[in-house]
Each structure stands twice: as structure tokens, then as C-alpha cells.
Amino acid sequence: LQKRGRFELPHLVRRGAILPILWVDAQTMNLAGRRLDGARITDLNLRVYAAEFRSEFLVREDDGETIAYREGAVARTRVRQQLQGQRLRLTVFPTEGSYVGAPDERRVVARVILAGRIAQAVALNGKSLPGHSSREAFERADSGWYQDADGTLLVRTPLMPVRELKAFEVDWKSSRSGA
């Protein structure tokens, strides 16, 4: 399957699924996230398939190199989503636990599949996030949101402490197709 000029496998997921996604680009060397450029990307990247019922996922992270997780050196971050009326609530709860090298602060980047809905406004902890008119503007910005033509909503927080709650509210309307 070709999408945007490259081969991509389809995602076969149920509504309500919340998937942590490893950042991968041309600089990525392996599954541990090591990079040719030496950069350390600590963003929590999520793909969320919005649904009318509440669903949760527990993201578990460790150092990726040792067996320290056996002694409890693990960070756990709970993520919850639910569509309620004309609003999606996406909550990233404070991270519990830690491991050597765990980030103290990070961005959350969520790709939300809204299936037939057009985002109107996005708030983080009660404060409006800026909407961007293009993917390029979104990628350059520290935080905000942008919705692709295929309906995927991209949301990014500024750098925030991992032990702080991140409560997103997305207000939406039905798409042009009337879904």
C-alpha cells in the first residue's frame, strides 16, 4: 500500500485503542531509539483511535538496556480517552515510577483518529492550544494542533513535567460527509 509516496501497512485496530509509538526517522538506528545524530527524543508519542466508550492504556517504559526492570526500575503512564457528545477527552496521567535516564519532562504528541469529525478547538488543562493552518507550521511550533486532510488530528504539548496531569479536550463537529 502506497501512502504519501511510501509503503505503509494498514493499521487494523479497534476503536478506543491507544498505542504508544516509537519516533522513527532516517536518523533512527534501532528499536531502543538510538540515533545517528546523537539526539535524544523523549516525546511520548501516541496514536489514539477515538471512541464513545472509555478506554485506557498503561505505557510502561524502562532503560531499554538492562534488566533493572526486574527490580522495579520502570516508569508507568496511564492514558485514557473517551468521546462525550461533541468533545473528546484525552488524559495523560502523571507518570509513576522511574528508571535511570528517565526524562523529568517531555512533550506529548498525539495522533488522534477522529473518524468523520473535524476538530474546532483543542485545550490542554483548560487553556486553548493554538491551531495551525499547515503541517509545516505545526511541525515548527512548540505546541498546538493541526488536522490532516485524512482526518488525523495532531496535538503537541509544550515541554512539561512527566509528573503533571495533561488533560486534553477536543471540540469537534461532523465532517463534510455528514458522519
Side-chain angles (χ1 to χ4, degrees):
L1 298 162
Q2 292 289 325
K3 186 173 183 181
R4 297 184 188 107
R6 65 181 185 185
F7 176 76
E8 289 188 16
L9 292 173
H11 297 115
L12 303 175
V13 296
R14 296 179 77 168
R15 289 181 306 124
I18 301 168
L19 306 173
I21 305 293
L22 176 69
W23 176 268
V24 177
D25 62 13
Q27 296 294 314
T28 306
M29 293 178 3
N30 61 27
L31 289 175
R34 293 207 186 276
R35 299 176 52 78
L36 293 170
D37 61 8
R40 183 168 184 241
I41 296 177
T42 61
D43 298 351
L44 176 57
N45 287 284
L46 302 168
R47 185 175 297 265
V48 178
Y49 294 83
E52 294 77 14
F53 55 88
R54 186 172 88 178
S55 63
E56 291 189 5
F57 187 84
L58 183 62
V59 179
R60 296 173 189 260
E61 300 171 277
D62 63 32
D63 65 17
E65 297 178 9
T66 70
I67 58 170
Y69 65 90
R70 291 182 179 174
E71 280 76 49
V74 176
R76 294 167 302 284
T77 307
R78 191 166 42 110
V79 182
R80 175 188 295 161
Q81 74 77 41
Q82 185 173 7
L83 285 170
Q84 298 173 315
Q86 298 290 104
R87 178 170 285 168
L88 167 69
R89 295 182 192 284
L90 175 63
T91 307
V92 178
F93 291 89
T95 298
E96 298 175 352
S98 191
Y99 56 90
V100 173
D104 292 323
E105 54 184 16
R106 64 174 14 159
R107 289 179 177 82
V108 173
V109 181
R111 288 156 184 81
V112 182
I113 312 307
L114 283 173
R117 297 172 175 93
I118 299 171
Q120 298 297 297
V122 179
L124 170 63
N125 295 341
K127 295 181 182 173
S128 183
L129 284 175
H132 299 285
S133 59
S134 69
R135 176 75 182 254
E136 294 74 27
F138 172 81
E139 294 298 341
R140 286 192 308 269
D142 180 56
S143 64
W145 64 276
Y146 170 73
Q147 192 164 16
D148 278 341
D150 68 3
T152 301
L153 176 67
L154 305 167
V155 180
R156 179 184 304 117
T157 69
L159 207 55
M160 296 175 70
V162 297
R163 302 206 186 283
E164 184 176 312
L165 179 83
K166 291 121 190 125
F168 298 92
E169 291 186 339
V170 179
D171 292 326
W172 58 269
K173 69 175 184 176
S174 294
S175 73
R176 295 169 286 286
S177 65

